[in-house]
């Protein structure tokens, strides 16, 4: 029981290590709410009423909500799809598909709906994205913070492929691979060459350097680990110490998606066109190598039909991917910096899977017990 209810010293240990203001706010809020009731099933009727309440505030003309239904995917969020008949600004009345994303009682990763909403809006027109319409970041209308996106056509998995948890090991097949690989590399190159300062993001803090951005990430996830672990793992602290001693200087700041990989984009199976990049909740301003190290993880790829060639995110081999990335961005990939972010990403995975997952499972805080 003492381990499940951490001491005050353990809970406050990381408060002296600064991270972004919005992240600190979220973590403080989570700590205040952690002793609250466990997750209880939320009905579609509750979400419909919340949607209606939010839209009454946001829209000045009548609207109708039809065909509400649960949407699969979104391991750490509850998702409802629905049809909205409304009058768009400067347009006639239309009926469009929408998606509501809402947090459970406690999420696998604690993230900001405001940041997700703002960044997707700022990147509109630069990348294939859903339209972010409305948000409820403080849960004024829903049981928990939420936002509403437009529905985008497309699939995450080819109809011929085996469904994989969270896209891990997803096989697109020889025909789709080169088509998707071209767009995958194109889009991550676009994202990483945008100057974050020009986006004027209110919900993101702009670090002074890539090294400071990395330190903020370490602080964030070390605090998560120390507040969440049920059973401590000494190797995690070895990793934290190594990361602090090996902060890379970096050469520029970029928008980092934080979860850029297969399974997190939609595409049309008929022609292979990527229609939307999803799951921006972990996005932040940092070093591009963080995204690269993340998508290069073996858990997201698989071996080609020859049994020898490992395909990054099921698309192309590592050497080809990095070569084409450098050509598309005009930016080098530094092996030492890449190694640092491989360790950082594994540390984050440890914090989520060995720290947060057991705690919210024991506390009954999430809607996807089996996956968690």
């Amino acid at each position: 029981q003492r381990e499940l209810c951490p001491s005050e010293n353990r809970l406050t240990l990381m408060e002296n290590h600064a991270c972004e203001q919005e992240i600190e706010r979220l973590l403080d809020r989570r700590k205040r709410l952690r002793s609250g009731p466990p997750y209880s099933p939320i009905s579609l009727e509750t979400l419909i009423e919340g949607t209606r309440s939010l839209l009454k505030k946001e829209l000045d003309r009548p609207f109708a909500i039809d065909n509400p239904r649960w949407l699969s995917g979104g391991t750490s969020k509850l998702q409802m799809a629905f049809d909205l008949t409304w009058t768009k600004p400067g347009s006639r009345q239309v009926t469009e598909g929408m998606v509501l994303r809402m947090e459970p009682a406690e999420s696998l990763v604690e993230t900001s709906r405001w940041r997700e909403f703002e960044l997707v809006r700022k990147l509109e027109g630069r990348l294939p994205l859903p339209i972010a319409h409305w948000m409820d970041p403080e849960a004024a209308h829903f049981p928990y913070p939420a936002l509403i996106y437009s529905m985008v056509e497309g699939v995450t998995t080819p109809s011929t492929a085996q469904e994989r948890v969270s896209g891990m090991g997803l096989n697109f097949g020889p025909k789709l691979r080169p088509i998707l690989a071209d767009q995958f590399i194109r889009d991550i190159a676009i994202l990483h060459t945008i100057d974050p300062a020009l986006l004027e993001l209110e919900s993101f803090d702009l670090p002074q350097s890539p090294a400071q951005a990395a330190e903020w990430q370490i602080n964030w996830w070390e605090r998560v680990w120390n507040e969440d672990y049920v059973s401590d793992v000494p190797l995690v602290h070895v990793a934290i110490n190594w990361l602090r001693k090996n902060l890379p200087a970096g050469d520029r700041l970029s928008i980092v998606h934080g979860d850029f990989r297969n399974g997190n984009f939609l595409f049309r199976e008929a022609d292979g066109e990527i229609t939307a990049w999803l799951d921006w909740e972990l996005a932040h301003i940092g070093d591009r190598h963080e995204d690269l190290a993340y998508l290069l993880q073996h858990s997201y790829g698989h071996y080609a039909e020859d049994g020898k060639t490992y395909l990054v995110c099921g698309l192309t081999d590592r050497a080809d991917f990095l070569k084409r990335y450098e050509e598309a961005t005009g930016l080098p990939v530094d092996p030492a910096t890449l190694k640092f972010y491989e360790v950082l990403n594994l540390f984050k995975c440890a914090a989520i899977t060995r720290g947060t997952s057991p705690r919210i499972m024991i506390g009954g805080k999430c809607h996807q017990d089996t996956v968690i």
Side-chain angles (χ1 to χ4, degrees):
Q1 286 297 314
R2 283 193 296 272
E3 277 303 298
L4 295 181
C5 303
S7 68
E8 188 63 26
N9 285 340
R10 178 172 147 191
L11 288 176
T12 59
L13 177 64
M14 293 314 302
E15 292 179 356
N16 294 325
H17 294 304
C19 52
E20 292 185 69
Q21 294 181 61
E22 176 67 358
I23 300 303
E24 289 184 348
R25 185 188 71 80
L26 291 171
L27 295 179
D28 288 343
R29 175 179 176 271
R30 185 185 74 146
K31 190 168 70 174
R32 292 195 305 270
L33 297 176
R34 70 186 301 170
S35 60
Y39 169 81
S40 59
I42 296 171
S43 66
L44 281 175
E45 289 74 18
T46 298
L47 298 185
I48 294 167
E49 286 305 310
T51 303
R52 186 172 289 114
S53 174
L54 175 61
L55 295 184
K56 282 182 178 179
K57 174 179 175 290
E58 297 289 344
L59 301 178
D60 58 2
R61 295 189 183 184
F63 60 87
I65 298 171
D66 297 297
N67 192 26
R69 60 219 182 260
W70 292 113
L71 193 63
S72 62
T75 306
S76 64
K77 300 291 177 284
L78 292 95
Q79 299 190 123
M80 177 186 76
F82 63 97
D83 296 331
L84 177 66
T85 300
W86 64 305
T87 303
K88 299 174 72 171
S91 181
R92 57 185 177 82
Q93 190 178 77
V94 296
T95 298
E96 294 182 301
M98 298 286 176
V99 176
L100 168 75
R101 276 170 56 82
M102 188 186 75
E103 299 174 15
E106 191 168 325
S107 184
L108 189 63
V109 286
E110 201 68 31
T111 53
S112 168
R113 304 287 66 72
W114 177 28
R115 284 162 66 104
E116 184 179 359
F117 180 88
E118 182 186 24
L119 183 58
V120 168
R121 281 208 159 182
K122 293 283 188 176
L123 293 176
E124 190 175 331
R126 299 171 185 257
L127 292 168
L129 295 167
I131 298 172
H133 288 286
W134 307 283
M135 65 172 172
D136 182 20
E138 298 299 331
H141 303 273
F142 294 95
Y144 306 106
L147 75 166
I148 297 176
Y149 280 123
S150 59
M151 176 77 76
V152 179
E153 68 166 326
V155 297
T156 58
T157 306
S159 57
T160 56
Q162 180 182 355
E163 189 73 28
R164 298 280 185 170
V165 175
S166 196
M168 292 185 174
L170 179 59
N171 191 332
F172 295 107
K175 181 180 178 181
L176 280 171
R177 271 178 213 147
I179 301 170
L180 292 173
D182 287 345
Q183 299 170 83
F184 189 103
I185 295 168
R186 175 203 68 194
D187 289 346
I188 196 170
I190 290 171
L191 181 66
H192 287 174
T193 51
I194 294 170
D195 183 350
L198 298 180
L199 295 181
E200 298 181 340
L201 296 163
E202 295 182 11
S203 59
F204 293 73
D205 291 353
L206 184 66
Q208 295 180 356
S209 66
Q212 185 181 50
E215 188 172 22
W216 284 352
Q217 289 291 301
I218 299 169
N219 292 346
W220 175 358
W221 293 99
E222 184 177 4
R223 178 170 169 181
V224 168
W225 174 258
N226 280 291
E227 291 184 357
D228 284 2
Y229 73 74
V230 174
S231 179
D232 202 3
V233 179
L235 189 58
V236 168
H237 300 281
V238 174
I240 293 168
N241 291 336
W242 184 90
L243 288 166
R244 293 198 182 280
K245 291 177 181 178
N246 290 275
L247 285 172
D251 57 6
R252 62 172 286 146
L253 291 168
S254 298
I255 298 293
V256 176
H257 181 281
D259 202 6
F260 201 99
R261 58 175 174 83
N262 52 337
N264 275 348
F265 63 82
L266 297 174
F267 65 95
R268 286 198 300 262
E269 194 168 3
D271 60 7
E273 182 178 349
I274 292 179
T275 56
W277 282 97
L278 310 173
D279 287 0
W280 291 85
E281 62 190 31
L282 285 168
H284 56 278
I285 300 172
D287 191 310
R288 64 188 180 277
H289 289 80
E290 185 175 348
D291 268 343
L292 296 177
Y294 187 83
L295 64 88
L296 289 170
Q297 292 179 96
H298 270 232
S299 55
Y300 294 122
H302 62 85
Y303 285 92
E305 286 71 21
D306 62 8
K308 300 176 181 179
T309 306
Y310 177 78
L311 302 174
V312 173
C313 286
L315 298 173
T316 186
D317 70 84
R318 179 186 175 111
D320 179 66
F321 177 88
L322 293 177
K323 176 177 179 290
R324 291 166 65 184
Y325 172 85
E326 289 183 323
E327 291 172 349
T329 60
L331 301 170
V333 176
D334 178 65
T337 304
L338 196 61
K339 174 60 69 176
F340 171 88
Y341 282 104
E342 287 175 354
V343 177
L344 177 62
N345 282 320
L346 290 171
F347 164 51
K348 289 182 185 181
C349 289
I352 292 169
T353 60
R354 293 294 303 272
T356 304
S357 295
R359 188 179 65 74
I360 66 174
M361 182 65 216
I362 291 169
K365 293 286 189 174
C366 191
H367 64 299
Q368 294 215 29
D369 285 356
T370 304
V371 175
I372 300 303

